[in-house]
Amino acid sequence: AQTVTQSQPEMSVQEAETVTLSCTYDTSESDYYLFWYKQPPSRQMILVIRQEAYKQQNATENRFSVNFQKAAKSFSLKISDSQLGDAAMYFCAYRARNQFYFGTGTSLTVIP
Amino acid sequence: DGGITQSPKYLFRKEGQNVTLSCEQNLNHDAMYWYRQDPGQGLRLIYYSQIVNDFQKGDIAEGYSVSREKKESFPLTVTSAQKNPTAFYLCASSKGSTGSYNEQFFGPGTRLTVL
């Protein structure tokens, strides 16, 4: 069974500092995709970054980057130069075929 | 602008009543999904549909029903058989093909409260 685990229910970071959110997944599929979504207080889910399992190069989107370790089935999100607007719930997600699986989320607090 | 709309934003229901949550997309996506979100439990899949007139149960389908008569629309009915329906409901869509990222796009959600 495919599962996604986020072991950090809550994290905090000082403004302008860097924080890493952890995510591990379990799968027997060879072709899959990984995502990080952000859910701010408005509760609108927003795609932050995505990674294809076949690509060894880690994805980067401005201040957001991932550390994708395929053998370890790990997909962590690094937020650099944290801003107050980064405060949100972050969900790690996995897609194989047309099925999506989500972790339970990490609530990120940004301290001014 | 393309996107997903859900209505209403807030919904109140008396016990024993059925209620239907609306979800419409103009992204020309084949696949649509309904999730339930409760505190500390992430997103749980209720139903999904990969094509018009076809849908499959997710992990927590009991007490819910759906229809997919049009590509753009995927309404969710919360029936009186759902024991604990108070929750935040999210609708999502994706292209549906298997050969690319096909990330999900989400609507703004509906907060359902049973009185």
Side-chain angles (χ1 to χ4, degrees), chain A residues 20-34:
Chain A
T20 298
L21 308 183
S22 301
C23 174
T24 58
Y25 58 94
D26 186 23
T27 183
S28 56
E29 300 279 351
S30 59
D31 183 18
Y32 56 89
Y33 302 84
L34 297 161

Side-chain angles (χ1 to χ4, degrees), chain A residues 81-98:
Chain A
D81 185 25
S82 296
Q83 301 175 358
L84 295 177
D86 295 333
M89 184 73 88
Y90 286 82
F91 291 96
C92 178
Y94 155 98
R95 181 182 83 80
R97 306 173 196 273
N98 276 324

Side-chain angles (χ1 to χ4, degrees), chain B residues 18-37:
Chain B
N18 292 353
V19 64
T20 298
L21 282 61
S22 169
C23 178
E24 303 276 336
Q25 55 98 359
N26 61 3
L27 300 168
N28 199 31
H29 285 170
D30 288 313
M32 296 187 74
Y33 309 78
W34 273 105
Y35 293 94
R36 170 178 171 142
Q37 188 176 20

